Amino acid sequence: MSSLSRELVFLILQFLDEEKFKETVHKLEQESGFYFNMKYFEDEVHNGNWDNVERYLSGFTKVDDNRYSMKIFFEIRKQKYLEALDKHDRSKAVEILVKDLKVFASFNEELFKEITQLLTLENFRENEQLSKYGDTKSARTIMLVELKKLIEANPLFRDKLQFPNLKSSRLRTLINQSLNWQHQLCKNPRPNPDIKTLFVDHSCGQPNGALAPSPVNNSLLGSMPKAGGFPPLGAHGPFQPAPAPVPTPLAGWMSNPSAVTHPVVSGGAIGLNAPTNPVAILKHPRTPPTANPGIEYASADSDHVSKRTRPIGISDEVNLPVNILPVSYPQSHNQATYTLGDLPKTVARTLSQGSNPMSMDFHPVQQTILLVGTNVGDIALWDVGTRERLILKNFKVWELGSCSMSLQASLVKDPAVSVNRIIWSPDGSLFGVAYSRHIVQIYSYHGGDDIRQHLEIEAHVGGVNDIAFAHPNKQLSVITCGDDKTIKVWDATSGTKQYTFEGHEAPVYSVCPHHKENIQFIFSTALDGKIKAWLYDNLGSRVDYDAPGHWCTTMAYSADGSRLFSCGTSKEGETFIVEWNESEGAVKRTYQGFRKRSLGVVQFDTTRNRFLAAGDEFLIKFWDMDNTNILTTVDADGGLPASPRIRFNKEGTLLAISTHDNGIKILANTDGLRLLRTLENRSFDASRNVSETVSKPVISPLSAAAAATSSGITVPPMAIAGMNGDSRNLVDAKPRITDESMDKSKIWKLTEVNEPTQCRSLRLVDNLRTSKISRLIYTNSGIAILALASNAIHLLWKWPRNERNSSGKATASVAPQLWQPPSGILMTNEITDTNPEEAVHCFALSKNDSYVMSASGGKISLFNMMTFKTMTTFMAPPPAATFLAFHPQDNNIIAIGMEDSTIQIYNVRVDEVKSKLRGHSKRITGLAFSNVLNVLVSSGADAQLCVWGTDGWEKHRNRFLQIPPGRTPAAISDTRVQFHQDQIHFLAVHETQIALYETTKLECVKQWAPREGSAPISHATFSCDSQLIYASFLDATICIFNATNFRLRCRILPAAYLPASVSATVYPLVIAAHPSEPNQFALGLTDGGVHVLEPLESEGKWGVNPPTDNGSASSISAPSPAGASNSDQPQR
């Protein structure tokens, strides 16, 4: 049953309870098995209604489910038996003995005999163990204490002991909202509709006179609840608010969780003695369900949502599919369905590595960048889109002198080293290599072919068998395991050892770090087949289980972290892929389809929360996670080893597999093939350079430097140095293996786009004749663009899904429609008496594109993106709002930058300002949240940056922008901020510069400034993958920079996208990046136009990577002097 269906059952349970359908509500609790009503259970036990007690329990567990369940049923039946004996009802006692207690004889024959002998006693209290048995009432009370502890300890009752925290009459409220919504969609809405049924959709009849007003001023289902009609449940009622959740991700696996409060449960064999608590058998604490967030909507007895005087809550987590007549925006986000066509089965690339790949990993963000580690210690970095090998490094110890003597001696005796595992960090900024000899090496990655040595750690004695990254305590750590039977945790920044986990009795083969809620833990497997689990506390293993195969086993979670799998191969060659039941620590299902004897250790991988894949029998085998039978196999056109190494990319569109001839094949599905075609570069070899100089928008570095300088844009020194052949070409379409002379013969050229034929540009049709575009954003789905014009009107363009645009996403190749709801209304902000053109405009879009929060100098408005209706307005000026940002974890929390330089943290749900932040001296012009660092970064017209903690809203740091000498910014000059994809660095944009800051220290690590006298910057933004920066200038020029080093790679002149008829004073006021297409962006112009730009399909990207100085310069470098594009001196 889906989560929404499950929630509907809870709403029905609440309704039944409020309506006093007492028997029905408990029947539904039992039949659904979603909520165990402990209060009802206690009442039935106290009343001795044993048949009802067992019937209710049967909805949640059976006698033989586990030892907790068995003891629960035994205690109940034993009590029933003793009560019959106490009443001297021998026949009843015999019936209970035969029908109810005999089932336990097979588990404990002696106990059953002892129970039977009680029939021969005049008073069963003569039995020593029962001598303290009191009267019936006290006995039931004592037993109930034991039962409650057993139920709370039983994993089958986990998440079923707390009822969600719902507002009263929640189902009625939802029905009212639906009816109100239906009424608003009526073509001829009546002012006071008479709704008499819920069985069909509401529709007002055709009126005889003039159109009635649309808004509904009161609840369509009647005012409720009435006092006394549906009284709120008391503290002891069955539907109580859930307390804060107690996360226990390893429940069921852990045998000795520490520092966790839990009930003590008698865990000895079931027996005659009265319930006591001497021995703890609880392996895991109870896990109440996560309480429903307090999401508020219009209550049943309130005015309609559009008439509320206070805001409503917003939920972005649940999108209920809704029919809105012909309205098709936004698209519903239903559960994706997959077919065999979704599996990557087509051979799209064949790469020659030169040695046998042992481990591979795709970059988590750049989907075509592949890391490879081989059996001779080589590491390689491939761009599979271009077939180009960006990096090839042979194994070398960086600091041999600092290594242990045993390692040095080992390398002298036998220098052969293999890569056991290579893996990216979660954000792709680092990667780690585990070698077969003692050490791990950590590299930092700065895009393209720029990798740098970061850490070298002698981690283990013997081989390092696995390496992984994790975020315990919100800090990135490296986890390793090795032949010395240990697991170790290292700080990823300094290399300091944080933990050593000992307990395995054989070499540790693999590690699998994970987290559930706020609990971080590590699974490990050893060569003796043991699985252990560890918390970051040095208190030993929590788990000791046997893996199927009892030898080489790896573990992996599905992409969403909800399902756990392992793949193990025995010494005899038997392979097992299984799914684990985490709550029980037992195998849930075993997948079929392996040969009796695998030739080697089988590797596996998971993708899309749906598929499993493994390399076996010279094939790639696929399974559906929900079906144990093999789904399909592919041979990748042959040439595979017996047990190929495999790795999916993050989206599951590409699959890398090793070949027997020391190569790699890239398999792709339809989306993967499209991705590869899009990103494939053209080779700039000598045979094409002459013709392309004329036909392509490529000019020489010297002319590029001259052109750039003339408009105030400085070209990096290396661009000119490239003329001497000192720079490597980054767009070679052939794998670069060893011939460096070939690279040196190529010259990097700045790409300049100065004609409409050199890019794809589309001006969006607008029949509303708006003035300048003040704000611009793509919807998160990428299918539409939302603009806010300076006349306070919103414009929404939506792209159609058709043969020319199968994805339905924004593109410059297909014209979108200016979208409006059937009512024809516009989303228009409230304005003050002042000229709206002079107001500061701002908006923020919710994560699921359902709502937009917006202001244009007046009140803040909340609009429904489907109907364009104003759901509420709040916070009347003065002061006026100047910037808005949704909290990333809670859409009911909004950060509001104000005209008076304060930042107000506003809770929409309760219509209350929770905090007011003071630190700026002029209006707030930018806000950005980091959900990794839990901070808010603000920027103001005072050119100041501030960092605030989101836990207590205290100010951490503040710093003023470094204005380059010779530049005098306007008295009021906007500063915008935007976080990098790593959520640690952020981009600051000012008319005088673009700068990259490290957030925790608030240090400027990269800066670019236009030359004095050139056009100021109007706006800039990261591309969706944070690899590019798009910047617009007041002379309408667009510059595209590499985000890693702030070097110019492409320049778009106004003539390329503005028609000749447009005034020379028109320029982009705002620039927005597509949320999933890194090379697409949109411009909002001062003449009210919106343009979408993309490179030519034949090019696939904007320009070519500018050269680097072979990795010697850090991408995190000191700020450059004014006029320089950046500094090449590394910061120490």
Side-chain angles (χ1 to χ4, degrees), residues 177-427:
Q177 291 173 344
S178 172
L179 293 173
N180 275 303
W181 180 69
Q182 291 174 36
H183 181 64
Q184 291 205 26
L185 292 180
C186 288
K187 292 183 179 178
N188 304 291
R190 294 178 179 174
N192 293 296
D194 185 15
I195 298 177
K196 297 180 178 180
T197 181
L198 299 177
F199 292 163
V200 295
D201 286 348
H202 162 68
S203 178
C204 291
Q206 183 72 26
N208 296 324
L211 288 179
S214 175
V216 184
N217 292 326
N218 47 33
S219 193
L220 295 177
L221 201 62
S223 180
M224 60 198 175
K226 300 292 187 184
F230 304 107
L233 295 165
H236 299 290
F239 293 81
Q240 299 171 24
V246 183
T248 53
L250 293 180
W253 293 70
M254 292 190 173
S255 53
N256 57 339
S258 63
V260 180
T261 304
H262 57 79
V264 179
V265 182
S266 173
I270 52 178
L272 286 175
N273 55 303
T276 55
N277 311 331
V279 182
I281 65 165
L282 177 60
K283 283 199 172 185
H284 43 264
R286 171 169 58 90
T287 309
T290 302
N292 228 17
I295 301 169
E296 294 184 20
Y297 294 85
S299 61
D301 53 349
S302 68
D303 285 346
H304 181 256
V305 62
S306 66
K307 293 294 183 180
R308 287 177 60 119
T309 58
R310 59 181 288 268
I312 65 168
I314 308 164
S315 169
D316 271 350
E317 306 310 319
V318 179
N319 251 352
L320 292 171
V322 180
N323 258 334
I324 45 177
L325 305 176
V327 181
S328 59
Y329 179 83
Q331 296 173 335
S332 61
H333 305 282
N334 294 328
Q335 176 64 38
T337 56
Y338 297 109
T339 65
L340 282 177
D342 293 306
L343 291 171
K345 296 185 293 184
T346 303
V347 177
R349 296 285 188 271
T350 300
L351 312 174
S352 177
Q353 175 59 41
S355 52
N356 184 23
M358 300 296 291
S359 178
M360 299 176 288
D361 197 26
F362 279 99
H363 193 279
V365 178
Q366 301 176 60
Q367 296 288 297
T368 60
I369 299 297
L370 178 68
L371 266 177
V372 181
T374 77
N375 64 329
V376 296
D378 291 350
I379 61 170
L381 187 68
W382 290 87
D383 185 335
V384 300
T386 65
R387 300 180 175 87
E388 179 187 10
R389 184 159 61 187
L390 304 172
I391 296 290
L392 176 64
K393 282 189 175 292
N394 306 120
F395 171 73
K396 180 182 179 182
V397 178
W398 301 343
E399 298 289 343
L400 186 61
S402 63
C403 293
S404 66
M405 293 306 296
S406 60
L407 174 57
Q408 294 184 45
S410 171
L411 291 173
V412 169
K413 183 178 179 181
D414 181 6
V417 173
S418 171
V419 173
N420 283 336
R421 182 70 184 274
I422 194 166
I423 190 170
W424 290 101
S425 65
D427 64 358

Side-chain angles (χ1 to χ4, degrees), residues 377-683:
D378 291 350
I379 61 170
L381 187 68
W382 290 87
D383 185 335
V384 300
T386 65
R387 300 180 175 87
E388 179 187 10
R389 184 159 61 187
L390 304 172
I391 296 290
L392 176 64
K393 282 189 175 292
N394 306 120
F395 171 73
K396 180 182 179 182
V397 178
W398 301 343
E399 298 289 343
L400 186 61
S402 63
C403 293
S404 66
M405 293 306 296
S406 60
L407 174 57
Q408 294 184 45
S410 171
L411 291 173
V412 169
K413 183 178 179 181
D414 181 6
V417 173
S418 171
V419 173
N420 283 336
R421 182 70 184 274
I422 194 166
I423 190 170
W424 290 101
S425 65
D427 64 358
S429 62
L430 301 173
F431 66 87
V433 192
Y435 292 99
S436 60
R437 299 288 187 88
H438 293 240
I439 66 170
V440 297
Q441 291 178 341
I442 312 296
Y443 289 85
S444 60
Y445 178 58
H446 304 274
D449 62 353
D450 188 1
I451 69 170
R452 302 168 196 177
Q453 297 175 0
H454 177 62
L455 288 175
E456 184 175 62
I457 304 170
E458 187 171 350
H460 296 272
V461 178
V464 184
N465 296 322
D466 201 4
I467 184 172
F469 289 91
H471 275 99
N473 305 318
K474 299 181 181 179
Q475 292 184 336
L476 186 65
S477 296
V478 178
I479 301 164
T480 62
C481 65
D483 288 344
D484 58 5
K485 308 176 186 178
T486 66
I487 301 103
K488 297 181 181 179
V489 182
W490 315 82
D491 184 280
T493 302
S494 64
T496 304
K497 184 166 65 177
Q498 297 171 317
Y499 301 97
T500 299
F501 300 131
E502 298 177 333
H504 277 291
E505 297 177 359
V508 185
Y509 182 72
S510 72
V511 287
C512 176
H514 195 59
H515 67 91
K516 287 288 182 73
E517 300 176 27
N518 63 342
I519 301 297
Q520 301 271 350
F521 55 93
I522 306 167
F523 280 118
S524 61
T525 69
L527 291 182
D528 58 1
K530 292 293 184 184
I531 297 174
K532 294 182 182 292
W534 318 81
L535 297 179
Y536 295 85
D537 57 9
N538 283 328
L539 293 179
S541 168
R542 290 344 197 242
V543 163
D544 189 358
Y545 279 84
D546 291 319
H550 299 278
W551 195 41
C552 296
T553 298
T554 55
M555 306 183 79
Y557 277 89
S558 57
D560 62 5
S562 64
R563 304 174 70 172
L564 177 63
F565 302 89
S566 71
C567 177
T569 303
S570 71
K571 292 180 180 179
E572 293 74 33
E574 280 191 277
T575 295
F576 306 86
I577 291 184
V578 301
E579 180 177 5
W580 291 88
N581 184 329
E582 285 189 88
S583 64
E584 294 285 340
V587 172
K588 183 175 181 179
R589 56 169 60 92
T590 302
Y591 297 89
Q592 311 300 318
F594 289 102
R595 58 183 292 167
K596 284 278 187 177
R597 295 288 181 268
S598 297
L599 301 175
V601 175
V602 172
Q603 265 199 6
F604 89 124
D605 202 2
T606 71
T607 187
R608 293 192 175 210
N609 301 312
R610 182 63 185 272
F611 298 115
L612 298 166
D616 182 49
E617 288 189 89
F618 308 94
L619 300 168
I620 305 301
K621 299 178 178 180
F622 295 96
W623 290 264
D624 185 305
M625 289 180 177
D626 296 324
N627 192 329
T628 58
N629 295 320
I630 199 165
L631 184 62
T632 188
T633 63
V634 296
D635 66 358
D637 299 338
L640 303 186
S643 299
R645 312 287 179 171
I646 68 170
R647 190 66 168 172
F648 285 104
N649 70 345
K650 186 177 181 180
E651 300 299 326
T653 57
L654 303 177
L655 176 64
I657 57 177
S658 62
T659 63
H660 73 84
D661 58 354
N662 297 336
I664 302 162
K665 288 187 177 182
I666 306 298
L667 307 188
N669 62 10
T670 304
D671 290 338
L673 291 170
R674 187 182 300 114
L675 173 68
L676 295 177
R677 280 196 299 269
T678 301
L679 298 180
E680 186 165 13
N681 295 325
R682 290 289 180 261
S683 173

Side-chain angles (χ1 to χ4, degrees), residues 821-833:
S823 64
I825 65 173
L826 299 174
M827 280 194 292
T828 306
N829 282 333
E830 289 193 6
I831 56 176
T832 58
D833 295 335

